[in-house]
Amino acid sequence: PNLKDRAFPVGDGLLEQVRIGQNRADVVRVVLDIHSLKDQTVFYLAAPARLVIDIRGVETRVADAGPGAAVAPASPPPPTTP
């Protein structure tokens, strides 16, 4: 329905864009277009139900911060509760 072929540009050096599509009433696909990937963690949290995806990329420079500035590495994933 309203999720068909939606894209949200990010362009932060790690994540290029997020795409969402729903071709069937019971399936939604979320695609993370990643510039660089070093590691990832995926976990489920309840109440409210949600899927969390942490992506960690290689350190990249930020154009707006000036020479020598770098993006801090992503933080480790939060602890999961049973």
Side-chain angles (χ1 to χ4, degrees):
N2 64 350
L3 292 179
K4 187 171 175 119
D5 300 325
R6 300 288 306 255
F8 302 91
V10 178
D12 65 357
L14 176 61
L15 185 61
E16 295 298 324
Q17 68 178 349
V18 177
R19 295 182 286 139
I20 301 173
Q22 184 173 10
N23 296 326
R24 296 184 352 208
D26 63 337
V27 177
V28 172
R29 177 175 289 173
V30 178
V31 177
L32 304 176
D33 292 326
I34 301 168
H35 180 70
S36 66
L37 178 66
K38 181 177 178 182
D39 190 21
Q40 49 77 27
T41 306
V42 179
F43 55 96
Y44 174 81
L45 296 175
R50 58 212 183 271
L51 181 66
V52 179
I53 303 169
D54 290 332
I55 55 173
R56 288 172 285 287
V58 295
E59 195 171 280
T60 58
R61 296 190 180 275
V62 177
D64 296 336
V71 174
S75 59
T80 57
T81 53

